[in-house]
Amino acid sequence: MSSPLPTTLITGASGGIGSALARALAGTHDLILTGRGGAALDALCAEVGGRPLRLDLTRPETFEEALAGLGRVSNVVHNAGVVELGAVAEQGHAVWTHTLAVNTVAPAELTRLLLPGVRQERGTIVFVNSGAGLSANAGWGSYAASKFALKALADALRAEEAEGGVRVTSVYPGRTATEMQRKVRVQEGATYTPEAFIDPQTLARTIAFVLNAPRDATLTDITVRPGPPA
């Protein structure tokens, strides 16, 4: 009898990277695709044969009920994120609270709740971080802080779970051709030129490789940067 397909949960599934990853894994992974709901998520689930899971990442107190009866989960890809550029002198606590809630607190709570199942499956947890999680530039304080914290979460989790066989990977993409990047370019007063950035499908293939890598290796940290001009 063949082994069942791994079950992979992807947050922010209807976004650029999340939807590309869902398509890359379709047919080889059973998919649980999370988002705020709506037509885009439903259409993606219909396309790739995934199950929708509606989560409000600003309300971690609702996660336990939402996950009840979910069944087995082999892998988790924390892909959802928000960004709001601004100087430290200008951004109030509401921006910081929202950014940290979505980018750091939500992944921490989801990990805590899903970890028993991932342990049982000896699965993989992937944190889609950012270049801003390694170096903070002017105007990026709140976002970079949330991503630095996400790196700390991943590093601690890796050390805690290694003996049990759970693999933990942080992926640090450079600028990627997504709607989030379009928003960033508007905030920077610059033109959005998707051909200058990483294709979401490239990141999807990178994450798929992490999930499907042989068990004798753990890819702890992967940095992906835009390539040279064509």
Side-chain angles (χ1 to χ4, degrees):
M1 181 180 296
S2 61
S3 300
L5 296 178
T7 299
T8 298
L9 184 149
I10 305 169
T11 70
S14 57
I17 297 172
S19 60
L21 179 60
R23 294 183 180 102
L25 297 179
T28 59
H29 290 236
D30 290 328
L31 297 172
I32 301 172
L33 305 179
T34 81
R36 289 170 293 182
L41 183 63
D42 291 340
L44 180 63
C45 287
E47 177 186 345
V48 302
R51 284 184 283 159
L53 176 64
R54 288 166 176 78
L55 289 177
D56 181 350
L57 297 184
T58 67
R59 298 184 62 205
E61 71 277 8
T62 66
F63 293 172
E64 189 166 10
E65 182 177 356
L67 297 175
L70 190 64
R72 64 188 286 264
V73 175
S74 313
N75 308 305
V76 181
V77 180
H78 293 292
N79 168 70
V82 295
V83 61
E84 193 70 39
L85 300 190
V88 173
E90 299 169 355
Q91 287 193 328
H93 66 86
V95 172
W96 282 83
T97 299
H98 179 70
T99 303
L100 287 161
V102 174
N103 293 356
T104 310
V105 178
E109 179 65 357
L110 276 176
T111 297
R112 183 183 73 83
L113 294 170
L114 294 170
L115 194 53
V118 177
R119 284 172 176 158
Q120 187 173 355
E121 297 279 322
R122 291 174 58 84
T124 301
I125 298 177
V126 178
F127 295 89
V128 180
N129 201 296
S130 167
L134 298 171
S135 177
N137 295 321
W140 289 78
S142 59
Y143 181 73
S146 73
K147 292 298 190 176
F148 269 66
L150 192 67
K151 179 184 186 300
L153 168 61
D155 289 349
L157 180 68
R158 185 182 305 112
E160 292 165 359
E161 299 297 325
E163 289 188 6
V166 173
R167 301 190 294 187
V168 179
T169 299
S170 289
V171 179
Y172 301 92
R175 292 183 183 252
T176 304
T178 64
E179 288 305 305
M180 178 183 284
Q181 189 60 228
R182 186 191 301 274
K183 173 185 175 181
V184 165
R185 296 300 280 171
V186 169
Q187 291 183 350
E188 291 176 327
T191 302
Y192 175 65
T193 51
E195 63 275 9
F197 306 136
I198 302 168
D199 190 318
Q201 294 182 46
T202 299
L203 282 175
R205 288 192 289 268
T206 301
I207 297 168
F209 177 77
V210 170
L211 295 173
N212 297 326
R215 288 293 314 179
D216 63 344
T218 296
L219 296 109
T220 58
D221 298 274
I222 299 177
T223 299
V224 185
R225 292 288 178 263

